[in-house]
Amino acid sequence: MIRRLIVSYVALVGVALAAFTVPVAFTLTAQLRGDTEESVLREATTMALLLGDGDAPAREALARMAGAYADETPGTVEVVTADDGRAMPPLPLTARPDDAAFGDALERGRTTVDWGSRLVWGPELVITVPAYARGEATGGAEDDDGRAAESGEADRDGGAGEHDDADDGGQAVGNAGAADRIVGAVRVRYATADLTDRLWRIWGFRAVLAVGVLAVAAGLGAIVARLLTKPLRQLNDMASRFGDGDLTARSPVTGPQETRTLARTLNQGAERLDTLVASQRIFVADASHQLRTPLTALRLSLDNIADGVDDEFVREDVEQATAEVVRMSRLVSGLLVLARAEAKVSAPEPLALRELVEERLKVWRPAADERGVTIVLAGDADDRARVLAGPGALDQVLDNVLSNALEVSPDRGTITVRVETGGPEEAVLEVLDQGPGMSAAEQARAFDRFWRGQGLTGRSGSGLGLAIVKQLVTDDGGTVTLRDAPGGGLCVRIGLRTVGDGARWISPRPGAPRSGG
């Protein structure tokens, strides 16, 4: 969205800039062309008046003027006479007296202007002006200014040497009268290299200015776009955190009225949902805690009944009831652990992974020895590997995974616990058993609450063990996945975040094994 706003803003500025700059550049180009043409035509007309005087002083003045013009400007002067195409020295002669423009000037008295190109202009501007004999006009009212006006009002051709014959009759009737005699013609060739440089400066300056303005517009557009979209980004951040399970996420009430209204609505909904979820967690925790005492008392009562009953059938019923009470106690304990995990009351701390694993294996090996199951510790991670985990969370994770692995393992089977370095920022803990394993569909549902699979854990478990594992691991920024173990069985892979050498070392606390579900 920010990119679209910037592009739209820059495009709008570009259109406005083009609408203002391009016409101005065209106007300046036309003005430059018109001023140059007017100046050259004025000089050519003045020289034509000197040629029309016909006396020696006038010719000398014309020669001096042509020389000075050639020295001081990028133009050159050429002169022809009407009788034989020549001029008396020291007048500058032309190398091509039979040129078509000279023919129009000598025969029809036509002034021609040739820019050499239909585009802006060619390499040179060529203006040819006829010269009339002074003092031979029948009207007698024309003077030098009248001659100049007549030459200036002659037809001009802006193309590459094209002529307009439609005005031939108009040239014959001028201010000087029909009886004026054409004695010659003057041509000025004006090189347009300087004009081209000025043209590039005109357009180049505006192009650089336009690029600079667009760059500034892009910068301002980025700032404006970020300011406009800041409330939306805040709302998106709040929604992302809320989707990740952070029910305390709230969005600042800023920006336009619409976004402020939306932020207030979302905050109110989040507050309501957080209250409801918190109430549910409190209820689950309180109910689980309150149920543990009567369940414990009920189990003791059943044990006492079983000890005082000699009837085998009654004893069997009491044992079944005791097993259900045990399962209910495990379910209540799992709900209590899950409620505490969802509350996120503690921050993750650095723990020595291998030391903690070794400590938990010491606790679980006696139970494994009773079943004839061997627990093996493998992997390349050393004692220096430390991971981030909440207090007691990793103990609970290991207890649940080892409990499940032990319950599904066959007698004289092997449980392999592998601790490895998965990367610069990850440590991997894998628990592999030799049980019946899980199908792909079962692995997809294994982390669902109250779902139970095969084996003893499926028959007597609470269905919360792996759900608790996933909740505790993901809360600390880790990952947990299931896959088939080599040779059969199930592999539980747990990825944990590692810490650098500057992290604080916290040794694990030994404790009794917890119910795995």
Side-chain angles (χ1 to χ4, degrees), residues 439-455:
S439 64
E442 290 175 332
Q443 292 178 14
R445 296 195 56 194
F447 296 108
D448 295 343
R449 298 181 184 182
F450 306 109
W451 182 88
R452 292 181 293 174
Q454 301 178 1

mmCIF file of all heavy atoms in Angstrom, residues 439-455:
data_model
loop_
_atom_site.group_PDB
_atom_site.id
_atom_site.type_symbol
_atom_site.label_atom_id
_atom_site.label_comp_id
_atom_site.label_asym_id
_atom_site.label_seq_id
_atom_site.Cartn_x
_atom_site.Cartn_y
_atom_site.Cartn_z
ATOM 1 N N SER A 439 0.472 -43.201 12.276
ATOM 2 C CA SER A 439 0.274 -42.916 10.858
ATOM 3 C C SER A 439 0.327 -41.398 10.638
ATOM 4 O O SER A 439 0.357 -40.604 11.590
ATOM 5 C CB SER A 439 -1.075 -43.471 10.394
ATOM 6 O OG SER A 439 -2.132 -42.808 11.062
ATOM 7 N N ALA A 440 0.343 -41.009 9.362
ATOM 8 C CA ALA A 440 0.393 -39.572 9.051
ATOM 9 C C ALA A 440 -0.831 -38.856 9.602
ATOM 10 O O ALA A 440 -0.735 -37.733 10.120
ATOM 11 C CB ALA A 440 0.509 -39.375 7.535
ATOM 12 N N ALA A 441 -1.995 -39.495 9.516
ATOM 13 C CA ALA A 441 -3.220 -38.879 10.044
ATOM 14 C C ALA A 441 -3.156 -38.751 11.555
ATOM 15 O O ALA A 441 -3.585 -37.742 12.134
ATOM 16 C CB ALA A 441 -4.435 -39.692 9.618
ATOM 17 N N GLU A 442 -2.610 -39.768 12.217
ATOM 18 C CA GLU A 442 -2.493 -39.702 13.671
ATOM 19 C C GLU A 442 -1.475 -38.645 14.101
ATOM 20 O O GLU A 442 -1.687 -37.954 15.109
ATOM 21 C CB GLU A 442 -2.092 -41.073 14.213
ATOM 22 C CG GLU A 442 -3.194 -42.109 14.101
ATOM 23 C CD GLU A 442 -2.741 -43.483 14.529
ATOM 24 O OE1 GLU A 442 -1.523 -43.774 14.397
ATOM 25 O OE2 GLU A 442 -3.578 -44.271 14.995
ATOM 26 N N GLN A 443 -0.378 -38.527 13.370
ATOM 27 C CA GLN A 443 0.617 -37.494 13.702
ATOM 28 C C GLN A 443 0.026 -36.092 13.555
ATOM 29 O O GLN A 443 0.386 -35.182 14.313
ATOM 30 C CB GLN A 443 1.843 -37.647 12.805
ATOM 31 C CG GLN A 443 2.661 -38.901 13.072
ATOM 32 C CD GLN A 443 3.839 -39.030 12.137
ATOM 33 O OE1 GLN A 443 4.212 -38.076 11.458
ATOM 34 N NE2 GLN A 443 4.441 -40.219 12.093
ATOM 35 N N ALA A 444 -0.881 -35.927 12.583
ATOM 36 C CA ALA A 444 -1.497 -34.615 12.390
ATOM 37 C C ALA A 444 -2.409 -34.239 13.544
ATOM 38 O O ALA A 444 -2.605 -33.052 13.836
ATOM 39 C CB ALA A 444 -2.272 -34.585 11.074
ATOM 40 N N ARG A 445 -2.968 -35.233 14.242
ATOM 41 C CA ARG A 445 -3.897 -34.960 15.332
ATOM 42 C C ARG A 445 -3.282 -35.154 16.713
ATOM 43 O O ARG A 445 -3.955 -34.950 17.724
ATOM 44 C CB ARG A 445 -5.118 -35.885 15.222
ATOM 45 C CG ARG A 445 -5.966 -35.682 13.986
ATOM 46 C CD ARG A 445 -7.297 -36.370 14.175
ATOM 47 N NE ARG A 445 -7.961 -35.895 15.387
ATOM 48 C CZ ARG A 445 -9.012 -36.511 15.950
ATOM 49 N NH1 ARG A 445 -9.462 -37.643 15.429
ATOM 50 N NH2 ARG A 445 -9.561 -36.021 17.031
ATOM 51 N N ALA A 446 -2.026 -35.559 16.756
ATOM 52 C CA ALA A 446 -1.424 -35.941 18.034
ATOM 53 C C ALA A 446 -1.369 -34.788 19.023
ATOM 54 O O ALA A 446 -1.391 -35.014 20.241
ATOM 55 C CB ALA A 446 -0.023 -36.498 17.800
ATOM 56 N N PHE A 447 -1.292 -33.551 18.531
ATOM 57 C CA PHE A 447 -1.179 -32.411 19.446
ATOM 58 C C PHE A 447 -2.540 -31.845 19.843
ATOM 59 O O PHE A 447 -2.601 -30.845 20.563
ATOM 60 C CB PHE A 447 -0.334 -31.305 18.803
ATOM 61 C CG PHE A 447 1.091 -31.720 18.551
ATOM 62 C CD1 PHE A 447 1.551 -31.955 17.259
ATOM 63 C CD2 PHE A 447 1.976 -31.882 19.596
ATOM 64 C CE1 PHE A 447 2.858 -32.334 17.029
ATOM 65 C CE2 PHE A 447 3.284 -32.258 19.381
ATOM 66 C CZ PHE A 447 3.722 -32.493 18.092
ATOM 67 N N ASP A 448 -3.621 -32.443 19.354
ATOM 68 C CA ASP A 448 -4.953 -31.984 19.755
ATOM 69 C C ASP A 448 -5.229 -32.404 21.195
ATOM 70 O O ASP A 448 -4.831 -33.487 21.632
ATOM 71 C CB ASP A 448 -6.030 -32.574 18.833
ATOM 72 C CG ASP A 448 -5.895 -32.076 17.405
ATOM 73 O OD1 ASP A 448 -5.192 -31.051 17.205
ATOM 74 O OD2 ASP A 448 -6.482 -32.703 16.502
ATOM 75 N N ARG A 449 -5.937 -31.579 21.894
ATOM 76 C CA ARG A 449 -6.261 -31.884 23.283
ATOM 77 C C ARG A 449 -7.270 -33.028 23.370
ATOM 78 O O ARG A 449 -8.211 -33.100 22.569
ATOM 79 C CB ARG A 449 -6.824 -30.650 23.975
ATOM 80 C CG ARG A 449 -5.836 -29.490 24.024
ATOM 81 C CD ARG A 449 -6.407 -28.298 24.731
ATOM 82 N NE ARG A 449 -5.474 -27.180 24.685
ATOM 83 C CZ ARG A 449 -5.697 -26.001 25.267
ATOM 84 N NH1 ARG A 449 -6.822 -25.815 25.934
ATOM 85 N NH2 ARG A 449 -4.796 -25.048 25.190
ATOM 86 N N PHE A 450 -7.037 -33.910 24.310
ATOM 87 C CA PHE A 450 -7.899 -35.051 24.632
ATOM 88 C C PHE A 450 -7.910 -36.108 23.524
ATOM 89 O O PHE A 450 -8.762 -37.003 23.545
ATOM 90 C CB PHE A 450 -9.342 -34.595 24.928
ATOM 91 C CG PHE A 450 -9.431 -33.544 25.991
ATOM 92 C CD1 PHE A 450 -9.775 -32.230 25.674
ATOM 93 C CD2 PHE A 450 -9.158 -33.851 27.318
ATOM 94 C CE1 PHE A 450 -9.864 -31.263 26.648
ATOM 95 C CE2 PHE A 450 -9.236 -32.878 28.297
ATOM 96 C CZ PHE A 450 -9.582 -31.580 27.961
ATOM 97 N N TRP A 451 -6.967 -36.004 22.579
ATOM 98 C CA TRP A 451 -6.870 -37.060 21.564
ATOM 99 C C TRP A 451 -5.891 -38.119 22.056
ATOM 100 O O TRP A 451 -4.790 -37.809 22.514
ATOM 101 C CB TRP A 451 -6.396 -36.479 20.235
ATOM 102 C CG TRP A 451 -6.339 -37.525 19.141
ATOM 103 C CD1 TRP A 451 -7.336 -37.901 18.312
ATOM 104 C CD2 TRP A 451 -5.197 -38.316 18.769
ATOM 105 N NE1 TRP A 451 -6.925 -38.879 17.451
ATOM 106 C CE2 TRP A 451 -5.607 -39.170 17.709
ATOM 107 C CE3 TRP A 451 -3.893 -38.406 19.239
ATOM 108 C CZ2 TRP A 451 -4.747 -40.072 17.109
ATOM 109 C CZ3 TRP A 451 -3.037 -39.318 18.643
ATOM 110 C CH2 TRP A 451 -3.469 -40.140 17.584
ATOM 111 N N ARG A 452 -6.274 -39.389 21.944
ATOM 112 C CA ARG A 452 -5.439 -40.484 22.432
ATOM 113 C C ARG A 452 -5.174 -41.464 21.298
ATOM 114 O O ARG A 452 -6.075 -41.782 20.513
ATOM 115 C CB ARG A 452 -6.106 -41.205 23.604
ATOM 116 C CG ARG A 452 -6.188 -40.351 24.847
ATOM 117 C CD ARG A 452 -6.825 -41.103 25.980
ATOM 118 N NE ARG A 452 -8.240 -41.396 25.737
ATOM 119 C CZ ARG A 452 -8.991 -42.148 26.547
ATOM 120 N NH1 ARG A 452 -8.463 -42.685 27.625
ATOM 121 N NH2 ARG A 452 -10.253 -42.357 26.271
ATOM 122 N N GLY A 453 -3.932 -41.938 21.231
ATOM 123 C CA GLY A 453 -3.544 -42.856 20.169
ATOM 124 C C GLY A 453 -3.493 -44.286 20.645
ATOM 125 O O GLY A 453 -4.288 -44.713 21.487
ATOM 126 N N GLN A 454 -2.529 -45.046 20.085
ATOM 127 C CA GLN A 454 -2.425 -46.462 20.393
ATOM 128 C C GLN A 454 -1.623 -46.683 21.680
ATOM 129 O O GLN A 454 -1.077 -45.769 22.276
ATOM 130 C CB GLN A 454 -1.752 -47.204 19.237
ATOM 131 C CG GLN A 454 -2.499 -47.059 17.910
ATOM 132 C CD GLN A 454 -1.768 -47.756 16.784
ATOM 133 O OE1 GLN A 454 -0.730 -48.363 16.984
ATOM 134 N NE2 GLN A 454 -2.323 -47.638 15.586
ATOM 135 N N GLY A 455 -1.501 -47.933 22.060
ATOM 136 C CA GLY A 455 -0.666 -48.306 23.187
ATOM 137 C C GLY A 455 -1.304 -47.977 24.517
ATOM 138 O O GLY A 455 -2.461 -47.573 24.631
#
